[in-house]
Amino acid sequence: ICACLVGSEMCIRDRNIYIPIMADIKSEEAGEKKSLNFIEQIVEKDLKEGKNGGKVQTRFPPEPNGYLHIGHAKAICLDFGIAADHNGICNLRFDDTNPTKEDVEYVEAIKEDIQWLGYQWGNEYYASDYFQQLWDFAIRLIEEGKAYIDEQTSEQIAQQKGTPTQPGVESPYRNRPIEESLSLFKKMNTGEIAEGAMVLRAKIDMANPNMHFRDPIIYRVVNHPHHRTGTTWKAYPMYDFAHGQSDYFEGVTHSLCTLEFVPHRPLYDLFVDWVKEGKDLDDNRPHQYEFNKLNLSYTLMSKRNLLILVKEKLVNGWDDPRMPTICGFRRRGYSPESIHKFIDKIGYTTYDALNEFALLESAVREDLNTRATRISAVVNPVKLVITNYPEGKVEELEAINNPEKPEEGSHFIEFSRELWMEREDFMENAPKKYFRMTPGQEVRLKSAYIVKCTGCKKNEAGEVVEVYCEYDPNTKSGMPEANRKVKGTLHWVSCDHCLEAEVRLYDRLWKVENPRDELTAIREAKNCDALEAMKDIINPDSLNILPHCYIEKYAAGMKPLTYLQFQRIGYFNVDPDSTPEKMVFNRTVGLKDTWGKINK
């Protein structure tokens, strides 16, 4: 597949057929123009031509060897979305062919993540459901002379594969008698054969320019209990052998994969041809199509590297809000809708690109702006005393829950003589264009009064411990004189009517834009392992815990994962660590993108 330009449209060339990547196509169901990505175009074309009996069936096939990350979310949205848009079915199929890395914990986590994103699978399958069928298929290939047992080491096999420009060398076991290969293959599954002692290879073409055709390994020995089948199997199929056949057994019509599987597609088709046993599948067979991965700046998404972060306690588990896992984003306060919005923005193409993390954050801001409840919170407090406000007096002021959704109503926040304000909102000796709290200057306290700063009190270390001001009782929000213009508006909470809370300020985990490439470069330069390389580029300021913050008491008892906006600060949510006695909040994203400015 190669990218080319035809007229003004970007296209892909696939088997002499040009398919536009993006075009405006009439959607018959909606009765209006809709921009379809190239996968959707393929599906609609297949339906019009009556392929696969006019049905659409997809599958999402994760390996249960870790938690899903946001890259998987892109595949989930495509697999499930394509099926839903065409009255089809998307099945969930766990690719559980490597028992040494797989666990039931991961199975359950994957299900939870898919459902949180808003999808429900048609059927739940496992590659292990087909172990017997795959075994029988492998036996048939040996009997037909299309597979043989090879006793070379993995290093010898790799050397004999050749290079993309140099043909491979046939294994000395390639023409082993069929009966001998059959006997040895059966022993691979009895426990008599040690791991690595032998493999089953498909006999295809050692001179084929596609390296995947050079007698690929299709079975190996793994002496480790399987999370579903226990010790029944010792010989396990390889991904390339199990994947296409599983699609075929299930009736998948469109097998959607990422771009690294482009060179695997001919092998996928060949194995489907071999397994069909003479059946005519011309218009009724699974077809593999490939799309670009989701790559994000300042993000590392390899499960192998994420596992290192978890095991070495560089993060606090798979759902640490700094992790790119779906459960991590959920805990940080991202909504499913915000992730959908981001994926819609970047789309699906046939070339890989590095997407800006800032684009994801902008999608989150857009979504949370419409759904987050506004509350007042002070994360770096200093006391503000209104010296001319009556002692003991308390007013209840109305606060709108969400100005974007008036139907969500309002709540009341208490106003009193002593308030908490943000320390950074006061400056004793301020520059000319400083419009917050400074001696002699007026500001508005949000939803309350205009006040004028009269001074401050410091401790022995010279730190400001109290700020003093006087209020104008005629400037309460809603009064005629409340329209008097002042340039600064500050948020606050009443000292006697708030909750002390812990606030966790999360930032990006990596200091570099492309941590994957940087890790590779560091490992080569230092000849070190991944863990040591990670320590060079991990952001030491990715988490800042503020244990003594103040939140208006309206937030008391809010459920975990509630979406909030701390006014003038950013979007936050309630962390599952929260208790009625001690609320904990996570920063989801700031109100504006500051990271880009800092790093330019």
Side-chain angles (χ1 to χ4, degrees):
I1 297 179
C2 66
C4 61
L5 286 173
V6 178
S8 61
E9 293 181 331
M10 178 73 80
C11 302
I12 58 170
R13 180 181 296 157
D14 177 12
R15 299 175 185 169
N16 301 316
I17 299 174
Y18 288 101
I19 306 170
I21 288 179
M22 280 295 222
D24 285 331
I25 292 183
K26 191 77 170 179
S27 172
E28 295 177 2
E29 294 82 359
E32 59 185 16
K33 274 193 173 184
K34 176 187 176 185
S35 184
L36 302 181
N37 64 51
F38 76 102
I39 296 287
E40 292 169 326
Q41 292 178 48
I42 289 170
V43 172
E44 292 208 352
K45 181 175 179 290
D46 288 347
L47 288 173
K48 288 177 182 177
E49 294 177 356
K51 290 184 179 179
N52 301 105
K55 72 170 185 174
V56 172
Q57 183 170 316
T58 60
R59 83 293 168 268
F60 176 61
E63 182 179 1
N65 64 346
Y67 283 65
L68 298 182
H69 54 63
I70 194 167
H72 294 109
K74 182 176 182 180
I76 290 170
C77 290
L78 184 63
D79 288 325
F80 284 89
I82 287 282
D85 290 345
H86 297 88
N87 298 314
I89 292 174
C90 180
N91 292 325
L92 172 60
R93 184 177 74 234
F94 291 99
D95 173 35
D96 56 344
T97 57
N98 188 359
T100 61
K101 296 182 178 180
E102 297 156 4
D103 195 278
V104 174
E105 173 193 349
Y106 301 137
V107 170
E108 296 305 317
I110 287 169
K111 292 181 188 178
E112 181 180 3
D113 288 344
I114 294 171
Q115 290 173 324
W116 179 74
L117 284 171
Y119 297 109
Q120 184 60 49
W121 48 93
N123 300 284
E124 182 180 321
Y125 294 123
Y126 295 78
S128 54
D129 293 336
Y130 309 116
F131 279 176
Q132 186 62 54
Q133 289 167 274
L134 292 167
W135 175 267
D136 294 341
F137 177 38
I139 292 286
R140 177 160 66 83
L141 293 183
I142 298 172
E143 292 174 339
E144 294 174 354
K146 295 178 179 177
Y148 61 95
I149 294 293
D150 195 332
E151 295 183 58
Q152 297 182 101
T153 65
S154 58
E155 292 79 12
Q156 288 173 319
I157 291 174
Q159 288 176 355
Q160 292 174 347
K161 282 257 186 163
T163 69
T165 58
Q166 182 179 359
V169 177
E170 291 187 0
S171 165
Y173 299 99
R174 197 172 196 266
N175 297 311
R176 168 172 247 155
I178 289 174
E179 295 74 15
E180 190 176 326
S181 283
L182 278 173
S183 175
L184 290 172
F185 185 52
K186 291 174 182 177
K187 287 182 180 180
M188 283 174 61
N189 201 45
T190 62
E192 299 174 64
I193 306 299
E195 289 188 23
M198 59 183 62
V199 294
L200 181 67
R201 296 177 68 180
K203 188 187 292 187
I204 306 177
D205 180 3
M206 290 300 293
N208 197 293
N210 186 331
M211 297 286 288
H212 297 284
F213 269 58
R214 297 184 185 180
D215 290 11
I217 297 171
I218 58 177
Y219 263 88
R220 82 286 198 199
V221 175
V222 181
N223 288 314
H224 190 281
H226 190 277
H227 70 100
R228 292 186 74 236
T229 62
T231 58
T232 301
W233 297 95
K234 309 291 189 303
Y236 286 88
M238 301 294 288
Y239 176 86
D240 274 339
F241 188 70
H243 183 66
Q245 282 70 269
S246 298
D247 284 348
Y248 170 73
F249 296 147
E250 286 175 21
V252 169
T253 60
H254 298 82
S255 182
L256 310 178
C257 307
T258 45
L259 290 177
E260 69 264 33
F261 291 99
V262 168
H264 295 249
R265 190 205 296 183
L267 188 60
Y268 176 101
D269 291 336
L270 177 65
F271 283 149
V272 170
D273 287 336
W274 282 2
V275 77
K276 68 182 184 180
E277 292 187 281
K279 296 177 183 176
D280 182 6
L281 297 179
D282 286 346
D283 287 333
N284 192 22
R285 62 180 296 150
H287 285 279
Q288 178 177 300
Y289 300 101
E290 305 84 15
F291 60 92
N292 62 326
K293 274 186 171 181
L294 195 166
N295 296 307
L296 269 179
S297 62
Y298 299 99
T299 307
L300 192 64
M301 285 192 283
S302 158
K303 279 188 190 176
R304 180 179 66 257
N305 287 323
L306 296 182
L307 184 60
I308 292 173
L309 290 172
V310 172
K311 285 190 171 181
E312 298 298 329
K313 301 189 184 303
L314 296 177
V315 295
N316 299 315
W318 287 98
D319 68 342
D320 186 304
R322 294 166 292 180
M323 289 280 273
T325 52
I326 295 175
C327 60
F329 281 120
R330 178 167 64 242
R331 184 169 183 175
R332 186 161 176 168
Y334 282 45
S335 65
E337 294 82 2
S338 66
I339 292 177
H340 283 280
K341 187 184 290 286
F342 169 62
I343 291 170
D344 286 343
K345 284 176 181 285
I346 62 173
Y348 297 86
T349 68
T350 56
Y351 56 90
D352 279 324
L354 187 65
N355 297 288
E356 290 291 335
F357 199 93
L359 183 61
L360 171 59
E361 291 181 326
S362 72
V364 175
R365 290 188 192 94
E366 286 177 28
D367 181 73
L368 293 184
N369 184 51
T370 66
R371 71 177 67 249
T373 299
R374 274 59 167 173
I375 66 170
S376 292
V378 176
V379 299
N380 186 18
V382 66
K383 185 174 287 188
L384 174 65
V385 181
I386 307 173
T387 55
N388 65 334
Y389 193 86
E391 292 191 32
K393 181 179 178 180
V394 178
E395 295 181 70
E396 286 191 335
L397 306 178
E398 185 177 21
I400 303 298
N401 288 335
N402 188 338
E404 302 295 323
K405 292 185 177 180
E407 67 275 13
E408 293 187 359
S410 60
H411 65 277
F412 290 97
I413 180 172
E414 292 81 0
F415 182 84
S416 62
R417 188 173 190 270
E418 295 188 351
L419 310 172
W420 293 115
M421 64 173 284
E422 292 290 349
R423 186 173 294 274
E424 66 178 26
D425 282 343
F426 173 77
M427 188 177 290
E428 187 176 13
N429 299 301
K432 187 175 181 180
K433 292 187 177 181
Y434 184 80
F435 299 126
R436 287 178 271 181
M437 185 80 71
T438 191
Q441 185 162 283
E442 288 187 329
V443 296
R444 173 171 289 285
L445 299 180
K446 187 171 178 60
S447 303
Y449 298 92
I450 292 174
V451 298
K452 178 185 284 188
C453 182
T454 57
C456 66
K457 176 183 177 182
K458 299 179 182 178
N459 61 19
E460 293 180 356
E463 299 170 326
V464 175
V465 292
E466 287 186 356
V467 177
Y468 301 114
C469 68
E470 294 179 349
Y471 88 117
D472 183 340
N474 297 315
T475 59
K476 183 177 180 180
S477 293
M479 286 183 171
E481 289 190 37
N483 293 326
R484 192 168 87 226
K485 298 296 182 183
V486 292
K487 291 186 176 180
T489 299
L490 309 183
H491 66 280
W492 50 270
V493 294
S494 171
C495 292
D496 293 331
H497 306 88
C498 63
L499 308 171
E500 187 174 14
E502 178 181 300
V503 171
R504 299 170 181 174
L505 302 179
Y506 289 99
D507 213 324
R508 300 178 189 182
L509 188 58
W510 305 102
K511 296 185 292 185
V512 296
E513 184 177 34
N514 193 335
R516 183 189 65 182
D517 290 354
E518 193 71 23
L519 278 178
T520 301
I522 293 171
R523 293 188 65 180
E524 291 177 354
K526 290 189 171 183
N527 191 27
C528 63
D529 62 14
L531 175 61
E532 185 178 341
M534 285 178 182
K535 290 178 179 178
D536 273 13
I537 59 173
I538 202 162
N539 178 13
D541 301 316
S542 62
L543 172 59
N544 184 16
I545 297 177
L546 306 178
H548 303 295
C549 304
Y550 295 101
I551 316 289
E552 62 172 287
K553 67 180 184 181
Y554 178 68
M558 283 185 170
K559 294 180 180 179
L561 307 185
T562 298
Y563 304 117
L564 301 170
Q565 183 194 104
F566 288 3
Q567 297 186 87
R568 297 182 64 236
I569 301 176
Y571 293 99
F572 289 74
N573 83 320
V574 183
D575 188 84
D577 285 345
S578 284
T579 65
E581 295 76 28
K582 185 65 175 287
M583 297 288 286
V584 178
F585 299 88
N586 300 324
R587 180 171 65 187
T588 306
V589 65
L591 293 178
K592 295 180 180 179
D593 176 23
T594 56
W595 183 272
K597 295 178 182 178
I598 292 171
N599 287 275
K600 285 183 180 177

